Amino acid sequence: MAKVIALQQPSPYLARPGKDLNELLSTIENIYHIKDLDSLLEIILREARHFVSADAGTIYLVSGSKLYFSYVQNDTLIPAGSNKNRYLAGNLSIPINTNSISGYVAMTGESLLIDDVYDIRSSVSFNFNPEFDKKTSYRTKSILVVPLTTRDDLILGVLQLINAKDGRGNVVPFSMQDRLYISQFAQSAANAIEKAKLSREMVLRLVEMAELRDPSETGPHVKRVGAFAVELYDAWARAHSVPEKELLDTKDLLRTAAILHDLGKVAISDAILKKPGPLTDEERNAIKLHTIYGARLFLRSNSAWDRMAGEVTLNHHERWDGTGYPGNIPDISADRIELGPGKTGKEIPFSARIVSIADTFDALVSARCYKEMWEEQKAFKYLVDQSGRFFDPELVRTFIGITDTIRAIQGKYVDAQPTEHHNDIMHDLEADSLSIL
Ligand SMILES: [Fe+2]
Ligand SMILES: [Fe+2]
């Protein structure tokens, strides 16, 4: 049952820009193909906003007794191409109770349509919290909030759309028809979110298996590497005018592939990965095989997802100048694997060149038991110094151009405690006698 708070003004609904119902139905169909949770939330929010011409919107997801700001878009406050704010919002939460608008919707499963949030009648339990408006000088007015309820009646979160606009850009109320369409859309969206959450949980469980072997491959580390990789790609793709669909499809695959970059470590023995102190050449070579073991898990299948995960696991230690590993391997399933010589330049798959920068940067700025964490500037300088040697120079430049977003990602995915070992990238660096530890 929906509630309408405050009488609707006569709405210039028909004059408003937006999509027709057929477009919405085809969007609903499309979202079922998105595998990555973050890509899915981005698309759901963008499409819902587009459909009703909303200036801003938020998706909150339920975790425990709280609602977490999981995705935020605001055309007025966040210029297109700036991605840092959505990571900043990631740690904010509100309790699920009937005191707030979103809390009320999550608690009761009812949708709310409010013409002006500063004019809510006193007989209802919830209030609009003006803090965000005060901080940002934004003026929230009309709002449409619907629950994200799965077909099993599980409320996964809340979709909130803010400030419907007419054709001239004036803020107007949302209409009853908006509510009807968005409620329908939200139901399909919730089912897709449930599926994507499940896949994300499975992926993180796989990472936990690798983490048992190499304690440096923690959940926060791989989530940062996944987010760095996606944002680096996003900035590069926008600079190259990559079509929106291709951009979103690639981001959808890249995050999971980046998260799984070191999955092959499940096949490396604890005695080597957890060995304190320096490794022998033989042990170092054994670790290098994690690239092959990872690729074996994916490259035998031919889906786009497996292909990218296989590319990244196999090639994330290749270097631009050919001094990386494993090089061209004629048959990754062979019993005996001979490494190298390394692939060079653009022979290294693009996805792996991206993940190599993301993974190295995160290893450098993280604390390990045998090294202090590096200052950010020192780590950036390292990337620049090794640009054209280890890393794709254009990608290094792009990465340094998104510093704000990188910091926001670090603020969102924080290590529980310093991890103990990283017998992988750091040993590569030691091997090069770069005296950077
Ligand atoms: Fe690795
Ligand atoms: Fe890593």
mmCIF file of all heavy atoms in Angstrom, residues 214 216-218 221-222 225 258-259 261-262 265 316-317 355 358-360 362-363 368 422 424-425, ligand 2:
data_model
loop_
_atom_site.group_PDB
_atom_site.id
_atom_site.type_symbol
_atom_site.label_atom_id
_atom_site.label_comp_id
_atom_site.label_asym_id
_atom_site.label_seq_id
_atom_site.Cartn_x
_atom_site.Cartn_y
_atom_site.Cartn_z
ATOM 1 N N ASP A 214 47.478 -17.021 1.417
ATOM 2 C CA ASP A 214 48.307 -15.811 1.464
ATOM 3 C C ASP A 214 47.544 -14.744 2.245
ATOM 4 O O ASP A 214 46.617 -14.129 1.720
ATOM 5 C CB ASP A 214 48.599 -15.309 0.048
ATOM 6 C CG ASP A 214 49.461 -14.062 0.079
ATOM 7 O OD1 ASP A 214 49.704 -13.535 1.195
ATOM 8 O OD2 ASP A 214 49.893 -13.621 -0.994
ATOM 9 N N SER A 216 47.943 -11.841 2.860
ATOM 10 C CA SER A 216 47.900 -10.452 2.373
ATOM 11 C C SER A 216 46.752 -10.237 1.387
ATOM 12 O O SER A 216 46.377 -9.111 1.101
ATOM 13 C CB SER A 216 49.217 -10.072 1.712
ATOM 14 O OG SER A 216 49.341 -10.756 0.499
ATOM 15 N N GLU A 217 46.214 -11.340 0.847
ATOM 16 C CA GLU A 217 45.099 -11.198 -0.110
ATOM 17 C C GLU A 217 43.784 -11.123 0.654
ATOM 18 O O GLU A 217 42.966 -12.030 0.606
ATOM 19 C CB GLU A 217 45.094 -12.372 -1.089
ATOM 20 C CG GLU A 217 46.185 -12.297 -2.123
ATOM 21 C CD GLU A 217 46.121 -11.040 -2.979
ATOM 22 O OE1 GLU A 217 45.089 -10.814 -3.629
ATOM 23 O OE2 GLU A 217 47.094 -10.282 -2.982
ATOM 24 N N THR A 218 43.588 -10.031 1.354
ATOM 25 C CA THR A 218 42.397 -9.911 2.202
ATOM 26 C C THR A 218 41.207 -9.390 1.415
ATOM 27 O O THR A 218 41.365 -8.860 0.315
ATOM 28 C CB THR A 218 42.663 -8.893 3.327
ATOM 29 O OG1 THR A 218 42.908 -7.628 2.709
ATOM 30 C CG2 THR A 218 43.840 -9.299 4.171
ATOM 31 N N HIS A 221 41.701 -5.680 0.589
ATOM 32 C CA HIS A 221 42.710 -5.495 -0.468
ATOM 33 C C HIS A 221 42.098 -5.772 -1.839
ATOM 34 O O HIS A 221 42.217 -4.956 -2.760
ATOM 35 C CB HIS A 221 43.915 -6.408 -0.220
ATOM 36 C CG HIS A 221 44.810 -6.588 -1.421
ATOM 37 N ND1 HIS A 221 45.578 -5.566 -1.942
ATOM 38 C CD2 HIS A 221 45.043 -7.661 -2.223
ATOM 39 C CE1 HIS A 221 46.245 -6.001 -3.002
ATOM 40 N NE2 HIS A 221 45.935 -7.280 -3.192
ATOM 41 N N VAL A 222 41.420 -6.906 -1.980
ATOM 42 C CA VAL A 222 40.892 -7.233 -3.320
ATOM 43 C C VAL A 222 39.739 -6.312 -3.716
ATOM 44 O O VAL A 222 39.570 -6.006 -4.895
ATOM 45 C CB VAL A 222 40.488 -8.725 -3.455
ATOM 46 C CG1 VAL A 222 41.691 -9.624 -3.279
ATOM 47 C CG2 VAL A 222 39.368 -9.105 -2.516
ATOM 48 N N VAL A 225 41.464 -3.263 -5.000
ATOM 49 C CA VAL A 225 42.041 -3.518 -6.319
ATOM 50 C C VAL A 225 40.920 -3.538 -7.372
ATOM 51 O O VAL A 225 41.064 -2.960 -8.456
ATOM 52 C CB VAL A 225 42.859 -4.836 -6.329
ATOM 53 C CG1 VAL A 225 43.293 -5.192 -7.742
ATOM 54 C CG2 VAL A 225 44.077 -4.708 -5.419
ATOM 55 N N ALA A 258 39.373 -8.521 -11.428
ATOM 56 C CA ALA A 258 40.416 -7.905 -10.604
ATOM 57 C C ALA A 258 40.385 -8.463 -9.187
ATOM 58 O O ALA A 258 41.428 -8.730 -8.585
ATOM 59 C CB ALA A 258 40.240 -6.388 -10.592
ATOM 60 N N ILE A 259 39.188 -8.652 -8.667
ATOM 61 C CA ILE A 259 39.057 -9.205 -7.311
ATOM 62 C C ILE A 259 39.709 -10.590 -7.236
ATOM 63 O O ILE A 259 40.308 -10.974 -6.233
ATOM 64 C CB ILE A 259 37.561 -9.268 -6.906
ATOM 65 C CG1 ILE A 259 37.058 -7.854 -6.559
ATOM 66 C CG2 ILE A 259 37.331 -10.202 -5.729
ATOM 67 C CD1 ILE A 259 35.566 -7.763 -6.254
ATOM 68 N N HIS A 261 42.320 -11.690 -8.911
ATOM 69 C CA HIS A 261 43.624 -11.730 -9.578
ATOM 70 C C HIS A 261 44.589 -12.773 -9.014
ATOM 71 O O HIS A 261 45.374 -13.357 -9.733
ATOM 72 C CB HIS A 261 44.299 -10.334 -9.576
ATOM 73 C CG HIS A 261 44.666 -9.822 -8.215
ATOM 74 N ND1 HIS A 261 43.776 -9.154 -7.415
ATOM 75 C CD2 HIS A 261 45.825 -9.871 -7.503
ATOM 76 C CE1 HIS A 261 44.373 -8.816 -6.280
ATOM 77 N NE2 HIS A 261 45.622 -9.237 -6.309
ATOM 78 N N ASP A 262 44.545 -13.006 -7.710
ATOM 79 C CA ASP A 262 45.509 -13.941 -7.104
ATOM 80 C C ASP A 262 44.871 -15.251 -6.680
ATOM 81 O O ASP A 262 45.418 -15.959 -5.836
ATOM 82 C CB ASP A 262 46.182 -13.286 -5.886
ATOM 83 C CG ASP A 262 47.506 -12.634 -6.276
ATOM 84 O OD1 ASP A 262 48.045 -12.963 -7.360
ATOM 85 O OD2 ASP A 262 48.008 -11.802 -5.505
ATOM 86 N N LYS A 265 46.644 -18.606 -6.070
ATOM 87 C CA LYS A 265 47.449 -18.916 -4.875
ATOM 88 C C LYS A 265 46.869 -20.065 -4.051
ATOM 89 O O LYS A 265 47.567 -20.618 -3.204
ATOM 90 C CB LYS A 265 47.585 -17.669 -4.015
ATOM 91 C CG LYS A 265 48.606 -16.729 -4.603
ATOM 92 C CD LYS A 265 48.877 -15.593 -3.683
ATOM 93 C CE LYS A 265 49.945 -14.711 -4.299
ATOM 94 N NZ LYS A 265 49.980 -13.408 -3.649
ATOM 95 N N HIS A 316 48.706 -10.617 -14.723
ATOM 96 C CA HIS A 316 48.833 -9.431 -13.856
ATOM 97 C C HIS A 316 50.256 -9.182 -13.359
ATOM 98 O O HIS A 316 50.520 -8.162 -12.742
ATOM 99 C CB HIS A 316 47.819 -9.470 -12.701
ATOM 100 C CG HIS A 316 48.068 -10.529 -11.669
ATOM 101 N ND1 HIS A 316 47.746 -11.848 -11.862
ATOM 102 C CD2 HIS A 316 48.597 -10.466 -10.430
ATOM 103 C CE1 HIS A 316 48.057 -12.550 -10.787
ATOM 104 N NE2 HIS A 316 48.594 -11.733 -9.897
ATOM 105 N N HIS A 317 51.187 -10.117 -13.623
ATOM 106 C CA HIS A 317 52.601 -9.852 -13.272
ATOM 107 C C HIS A 317 53.475 -9.615 -14.496
ATOM 108 O O HIS A 317 54.698 -9.561 -14.384
ATOM 109 C CB HIS A 317 53.179 -11.007 -12.445
ATOM 110 C CG HIS A 317 52.607 -11.056 -11.055
ATOM 111 N ND1 HIS A 317 52.987 -10.172 -10.058
ATOM 112 C CD2 HIS A 317 51.668 -11.867 -10.506
ATOM 113 C CE1 HIS A 317 52.296 -10.444 -8.947
ATOM 114 N NE2 HIS A 317 51.487 -11.472 -9.200
ATOM 115 N N VAL A 355 45.075 -4.014 -13.942
ATOM 116 C CA VAL A 355 45.117 -4.646 -12.615
ATOM 117 C C VAL A 355 46.531 -4.600 -12.039
ATOM 118 O O VAL A 355 46.719 -4.450 -10.829
ATOM 119 C CB VAL A 355 44.565 -6.089 -12.680
ATOM 120 C CG1 VAL A 355 44.785 -6.826 -11.367
ATOM 121 C CG2 VAL A 355 43.085 -6.060 -13.033
ATOM 122 N N ALA A 358 46.795 -1.298 -10.325
ATOM 123 C CA ALA A 358 45.913 -1.256 -9.149
ATOM 124 C C ALA A 358 46.477 -2.111 -8.018
ATOM 125 O O ALA A 358 46.520 -1.684 -6.858
ATOM 126 C CB ALA A 358 44.514 -1.758 -9.542
ATOM 127 N N ASP A 359 46.949 -3.296 -8.347
ATOM 128 C CA ASP A 359 47.441 -4.237 -7.326
ATOM 129 C C ASP A 359 48.759 -3.746 -6.723
ATOM 130 O O ASP A 359 48.948 -3.778 -5.506
ATOM 131 C CB ASP A 359 47.617 -5.621 -7.980
ATOM 132 C CG ASP A 359 47.892 -6.717 -6.962
ATOM 133 O OD1 ASP A 359 47.447 -6.585 -5.804
ATOM 134 O OD2 ASP A 359 48.549 -7.709 -7.337
ATOM 135 N N THR A 360 49.662 -3.273 -7.557
ATOM 136 C CA THR A 360 50.953 -2.798 -7.056
ATOM 137 C C THR A 360 50.761 -1.586 -6.151
ATOM 138 O O THR A 360 51.316 -1.518 -5.058
ATOM 139 C CB THR A 360 51.887 -2.403 -8.229
ATOM 140 O OG1 THR A 360 51.977 -3.503 -9.119
ATOM 141 C CG2 THR A 360 53.270 -2.029 -7.728
ATOM 142 N N ASP A 362 48.200 -0.738 -4.411
ATOM 143 C CA ASP A 362 47.603 -1.090 -3.123
ATOM 144 C C ASP A 362 48.596 -1.824 -2.219
ATOM 145 O O ASP A 362 48.600 -1.624 -1.010
ATOM 146 C CB ASP A 362 46.335 -1.926 -3.292
ATOM 147 C CG ASP A 362 45.522 -1.921 -2.008
ATOM 148 O OD1 ASP A 362 45.025 -0.837 -1.639
ATOM 149 O OD2 ASP A 362 45.437 -2.967 -1.342
ATOM 150 N N ALA A 363 49.444 -2.670 -2.815
ATOM 151 C CA ALA A 363 50.459 -3.364 -1.998
ATOM 152 C C ALA A 363 51.430 -2.338 -1.392
ATOM 153 O O ALA A 363 51.834 -2.455 -0.240
ATOM 154 C CB ALA A 363 51.217 -4.367 -2.863
ATOM 155 N N ARG A 368 52.449 -3.879 5.818
ATOM 156 C CA ARG A 368 52.706 -5.318 5.915
ATOM 157 C C ARG A 368 53.597 -5.521 7.139
ATOM 158 O O ARG A 368 54.234 -4.585 7.599
ATOM 159 C CB ARG A 368 53.448 -5.846 4.668
ATOM 160 C CG ARG A 368 52.780 -5.503 3.354
ATOM 161 C CD ARG A 368 51.567 -6.373 3.090
ATOM 162 N NE ARG A 368 51.020 -6.125 1.762
ATOM 163 C CZ ARG A 368 49.725 -6.105 1.488
ATOM 164 N NH1 ARG A 368 48.853 -6.311 2.433
ATOM 165 N NH2 ARG A 368 49.306 -5.887 0.270
ATOM 166 N N HIS A 422 53.228 -10.753 2.044
ATOM 167 C CA HIS A 422 52.847 -10.554 0.650
ATOM 168 C C HIS A 422 53.998 -11.068 -0.186
ATOM 169 O O HIS A 422 54.785 -10.315 -0.713
ATOM 170 C CB HIS A 422 52.547 -9.086 0.369
ATOM 171 C CG HIS A 422 51.699 -8.914 -0.869
ATOM 172 N ND1 HIS A 422 52.227 -8.898 -2.117
ATOM 173 C CD2 HIS A 422 50.357 -8.785 -1.026
ATOM 174 C CE1 HIS A 422 51.241 -8.742 -3.005
ATOM 175 N NE2 HIS A 422 50.108 -8.675 -2.360
ATOM 176 N N ASP A 424 54.617 -11.901 -2.974
ATOM 177 C CA ASP A 424 54.209 -11.864 -4.374
ATOM 178 C C ASP A 424 54.775 -10.593 -4.969
ATOM 179 O O ASP A 424 55.932 -10.545 -5.381
ATOM 180 C CB ASP A 424 52.680 -11.891 -4.387
ATOM 181 C CG ASP A 424 52.109 -11.960 -5.768
ATOM 182 O OD1 ASP A 424 52.879 -11.953 -6.727
ATOM 183 O OD2 ASP A 424 50.889 -12.024 -5.894
ATOM 184 N N ILE A 425 53.987 -9.529 -4.961
ATOM 185 C CA ILE A 425 54.486 -8.275 -5.513
ATOM 186 C C ILE A 425 55.716 -7.797 -4.765
ATOM 187 O O ILE A 425 56.714 -7.414 -5.357
ATOM 188 C CB ILE A 425 53.397 -7.203 -5.432
ATOM 189 C CG1 ILE A 425 52.394 -7.488 -6.529
ATOM 190 C CG2 ILE A 425 53.976 -5.819 -5.612
ATOM 191 C CD1 ILE A 425 51.267 -6.551 -6.548
HETATM 192 FE FE FE B 2 47.118 -8.628 -4.663
#
